[in-house]
Amino acid sequence: VSFPWQKREISNFDYLMYLNTLAGRSYNDYMQYPVFPWVLADYHSKTLNLTNPHTFRDLSKPMGAQTVERKRKFIQRYNEVEKNLSAQCHYCTHYSSAIIVASYLVRMEPFTQTFCSLQGGSFDVADRMFHSVKSTWESASRDNMSDVRELIPEFFYLPEFLTNANRFELGCMQDGTVLGDVQLPPWADGDPHKFILLHRQALESDYVSAHLHRWIDLIFGHKQHGSAAVEAVNTYHPYFYGDKMDLNNIKDPLIKSTILGFISNFGQIPKQV
């Protein structure tokens, strides 16, 4: 049986939204917000070449395994099980959470207020704020062992979230940079509309269409948990697997509230589709 997506009767964007909905993700819940993949790895070129495979992120691997060195470190963590961890896993942080969603959309209300309330009433330290697409990619794919975040749908249709139209005072970075609009890759020519247009073209490109199912396996499919997830370097702290935890059988109210707090703050694996 050939499905509409395989026949290209619906776009990659629409198919991902459909899967997110099936998996219980919704714009109405920051903790279970729709999750979309990083699709590009090129945030430095003057022009974007969508016919070159090297332009793209490896969709068969989670964000924690995008470089050989990073993958090795996470496998080492899994094998060692640090003493302060209660369970064996590759990642103790998640690819989607309320704070990740609010940090991406912080320049727009009501997300500004949401972000501040999650941060205890104020903006975060400027250097940790979302300020550059390139540096966020480098953090999530290579540099930061506690950052494995993916994207949200807005990266493919909403230029407004990339500009500080409300002139919020987001602070000043250590190198003296005052935070304002999000810094875009050179190929976007400083134009949020061009960034969204090219980014959406990348999502709908032949390369992504041919490889997107591999990412879907990681997030929504059979590589989401169990032995296939271990092999794919794709296991998360057990508390992230909300639907796999039988909270009704946990009698200790402190443990139960800890788990619920963990899920609400740090993210939740989508229901398996």
Side-chain angles (χ1 to χ4, degrees):
V1 179
S2 183
F3 295 103
W5 177 63
Q6 290 172 312
K7 291 192 270 185
R8 295 215 175 177
E9 289 172 5
I10 63 171
S11 66
N12 290 338
F13 182 91
D14 288 341
Y15 186 54
L16 286 170
M17 282 306 300
Y18 175 66
L19 289 174
N20 270 286
T21 304
L22 281 181
R25 314 293 285 191
S26 164
Y27 283 118
N28 299 322
D29 186 349
Y30 292 163
M31 294 181 289
Q32 297 201 69
Y33 209 76
V35 55
F36 268 57
W38 286 96
V39 293
L40 293 172
D42 181 354
Y43 299 96
H44 54 269
S45 297
K46 279 260 189 256
T47 55
L48 195 60
N49 182 358
L50 297 180
T51 61
N52 181 357
H54 296 295
T55 298
F56 297 92
R57 166 255 181 105
D58 187 340
L59 287 158
S60 69
K61 296 185 174 73
M63 290 305 290
Q66 289 296 308
T67 70
V68 174
E69 177 61 14
R70 187 167 156 93
K71 181 180 176 183
R72 184 189 66 75
K73 284 180 182 170
F74 279 121
I75 291 172
Q76 187 179 354
R77 172 192 280 179
Y78 181 88
N79 292 333
E80 284 174 0
V81 191
E82 297 163 16
K83 292 182 179 63
N84 63 339
L85 296 181
S86 58
Q88 193 174 36
C89 61
H90 294 107
Y91 314 115
C92 301
T93 53
H94 200 253
Y95 49 77
S96 176
S97 67
I99 194 70
I100 289 171
V101 172
S103 70
Y104 280 145
L105 300 173
V106 70
R107 290 163 178 79
M108 295 172 59
E109 290 290 14
F111 302 98
T112 314
Q113 292 304 315
T114 302
F115 182 83
C116 289
S117 65
L118 288 168
Q119 282 292 128
S122 61
F123 291 120
D124 198 0
V125 176
D127 285 81
R128 289 203 300 257
M129 295 279 286
F130 172 52
H131 67 277
S132 154
V133 178
K134 178 175 181 279
S135 66
T136 303
W137 160 255
E138 288 170 350
S139 171
S141 66
R142 188 187 71 200
D143 297 339
N144 186 347
M145 289 292 282
S146 61
D147 182 3
V148 292
R149 79 189 104 164
E150 293 278 8
L151 299 182
I152 54 175
E154 283 83 351
F155 273 85
F156 301 94
Y157 67 82
L158 190 71
E160 286 79 8
F161 88 98
L162 298 164
T163 62
N164 187 21
N166 293 316
R167 305 202 180 282
F168 292 119
E169 292 186 12
L170 302 170
C172 186
M173 294 169 65
Q174 286 182 348
D175 65 4
T177 306
V178 177
L179 258 58
D181 297 346
V182 175
Q183 293 170 14
L184 303 174
W187 45 259
D189 295 326
D191 180 351
H193 289 83
K194 185 172 182 181
F195 171 83
I196 295 293
L197 176 70
L198 291 174
H199 203 215
R200 183 66 174 263
Q201 285 177 4
L203 178 65
E204 304 299 341
S205 67
D206 289 342
Y207 179 90
V208 172
S209 297
H211 295 86
L212 187 58
H213 64 284
R214 296 178 179 275
W215 182 83
I216 290 167
D217 286 343
L218 294 169
I219 306 299
F220 302 107
H222 75 289
K223 293 183 180 176
Q224 188 194 76
H225 60 87
S227 58
V230 175
E231 203 174 315
V233 195
N234 193 41
T235 65
Y236 297 81
H237 193 285
Y239 288 176
F240 292 137
Y241 298 86
D243 61 335
K244 299 282 183 291
M245 301 209 64
D246 191 356
L247 292 172
N248 295 325
N249 282 336
I250 297 172
K251 298 290 182 267
D252 187 326
L254 184 62
I255 294 174
K256 197 169 188 173
S257 68
T258 301
I259 293 171
L260 289 170
F262 199 95
I263 291 167
S264 65
N265 286 317
F266 299 111
Q268 203 169 347
I269 301 284
K271 290 192 181 79
Q272 194 169 20
V273 176

